[in-house]
Amino acid sequence: MGPEKIRRPRLSQAETERRVLAAAIGVVNATGLTVSLEHLSFEAVIASAKVSRTAAYRRWPTKESFLHDLIRELARAAEPAAVGMASATVLIRELVRPVLPQLADPAQRWATVVDVVRRAATHDFTTMYTSTQWRTYLALTATFLGLEDDGLRGEVQAALTATQQGFIDRLANSWQGLAAVLGYRLRPGLPGFTSLAALLQGTMRGLILMALANPGIAEDRVDADPFGTGNASWSLAALDCAMLAVGFLEPDPSVIWDDGRVEAVLAALEQAEP
């Protein structure tokens, strides 16, 4: 008599759906999204999700119905909006705290802004460029208009818009925080930090797409002093972001760097989220 077959506990339809979609996203994020999802094995996803075939096929009678739900879920995924966003806060703490007493000097403040932008942009570009989640997100953004189902295409577009806006909002808050800490403001007449963040995201995405075909774009470094703050190693992404910063930001003349200001900045750095 053979070994007794182990029976899995019966899962609710909602739990089956959650597990299968999560497993499918794991498979896609491991390999990246191609123009089509036809390469994805529904049977392999079911096995990875550890749910019964009967329950999975009851929820999705056809592979097409499953792929439609998977595309919706990929479009709603939060991972792309979260990639790299902690780096600026960490760098502000690391670079600003040691030089706080010297920030009354406008040249030192500008050098600190440039250094934070240079390092944060390079870090975030590398993080996004090497992330399969970002590649999946970018691929879906580029290909969703080819979806034949009008309703699905509209849902995916709305989800991608929401995810993109979440990324822009977080990036805008990061830049606004950097400017406030170091006593900078937007140049009069220019649009707000949300517009700056949208421009930064657009140029960063463009460089990432170019680097996927030409890796040299990700690897190239330029030893230069483009902003009069001292020679340093610049990635193309860092140069791009810093050029935008120069165009959008200027010292805030209403900020007075005295002992009270230094204490307020130190308190703000301690309270900032990691």
Side-chain angles (χ1 to χ4, degrees), residues 230-244:
N231 204 60
S233 177
W234 289 82
S235 67
L236 294 182
L239 277 173
D240 193 1
C241 290
M243 291 293 183
L244 281 168

Side-chain angles (χ1 to χ4, degrees), residues 20-42:
V20 173
L21 288 173
I25 288 176
V27 172
V28 172
N29 284 339
T31 59
L33 183 68
T34 62
V35 176
S36 170
L37 283 170
E38 292 302 321
H39 69 292
L40 195 65
S41 167
F42 192 27

Side-chain angles (χ1 to χ4, degrees), residues 84-260:
M85 296 309 298
S87 63
T89 300
V90 172
L91 283 170
I92 290 171
R93 284 178 175 171
E94 291 179 354
L95 299 178
V96 172
R97 188 179 290 153
V99 298
L100 265 176
Q102 289 83 50
L103 290 185
D105 177 5
Q108 179 65 63
R109 288 206 308 279
W110 178 235
T112 303
V113 169
V114 170
D115 205 19
V116 170
V117 173
R118 180 178 68 87
R119 297 192 189 199
T122 299
H123 173 275
D124 287 355
F125 175 86
T126 301
T127 300
M128 290 185 279
Y129 172 63
T130 57
S131 166
T132 54
Q133 288 95 329
W134 256 97
R135 293 187 186 190
T136 295
Y137 179 76
L138 292 176
L140 187 57
T141 301
T143 60
F144 82 93
L145 288 175
L147 294 171
E148 295 181 359
D149 186 306
D150 291 343
L152 176 62
R153 186 169 60 251
E155 288 182 51
V156 170
Q157 182 173 15
L160 289 172
T161 298
T163 300
Q164 177 176 271
Q165 190 59 51
F167 184 87
I168 290 174
D169 290 344
R170 292 187 62 179
L171 193 59
N173 289 336
S174 180
W175 274 84
Q176 189 167 4
L178 172 63
V181 164
L182 293 175
Y184 275 73
R185 70 179 186 182
L186 290 170
R187 295 182 187 275
L190 289 179
F193 284 98
T194 298
S195 295
L196 172 58
L199 289 171
L200 288 167
Q201 185 194 33
T203 54
M204 188 79 80
R205 282 189 181 194
L207 284 172
I208 291 170
L209 288 172
M210 292 172 66
L212 291 175
N214 179 9
I217 290 174
E219 299 163 2
D220 285 349
R221 295 293 183 272
V222 178
D223 290 326
D225 180 15
F227 305 103
T229 59
N231 204 60
S233 177
W234 289 82
S235 67
L236 294 182
L239 277 173
D240 193 1
C241 290
M243 291 293 183
L244 281 168
V246 169
F248 267 74
L249 299 178
E250 67 177 11
D252 187 341
S254 69
V255 174
I256 300 174
W257 283 91
D258 52 18
D259 290 343

